Amino acid sequence: MRSAIDTYVIEKVKEKREAAELSQEELSIRAGFKSNGFVGQVESPNYSKRYNIQHLNKFAAVFNCSPRDFLPEKPL
């Protein structure tokens, strides 16, 4: 089961991905993940995968933003 912070981060990445009109596969490729399906697996409730700080750093480079943009301002 995912924690509140995991769900928050996943949703923030998804929001940025959709705003940039990128598919899950395209974001996986642009972020340099070994699996083109990684983002899809994280976004799917059928998998327990989640993002770590290195993933957020890669996404920040793709979206030209700060890794902090994926985190809440206050603890959840």
Side-chain angles (χ1 to χ4, degrees):
M1 182 177 216
R2 291 183 178 150
S3 69
I5 187 73
D6 289 326
T7 301
Y8 181 94
V9 169
I10 291 165
E11 287 302 312
K12 282 297 181 182
V13 173
K14 184 177 179 180
E15 285 175 17
K16 288 224 181 252
R17 178 182 66 73
E18 289 176 341
E21 297 182 350
L22 294 175
S23 68
Q24 295 169 334
E25 181 179 16
E26 191 168 3
L27 180 55
S28 292
I29 291 166
R30 287 189 184 192
F33 298 133
K34 292 179 183 177
S35 168
N36 292 351
F38 180 72
V39 171
Q41 290 175 351
V42 173
E43 288 184 9
S44 171
N46 298 326
Y47 293 88
S48 62
K49 293 192 178 198
R50 61 192 100 184
Y51 298 128
N52 63 37
I53 197 68
Q54 285 83 17
H55 298 142
L56 299 185
N57 194 56
K58 289 180 180 187
F59 292 143
V62 170
F63 295 121
N64 195 29
C65 67
S66 169
R68 289 181 288 186
D69 292 346
F70 304 106
L71 300 172
E73 289 192 29
K74 298 191 182 231
L76 300 179

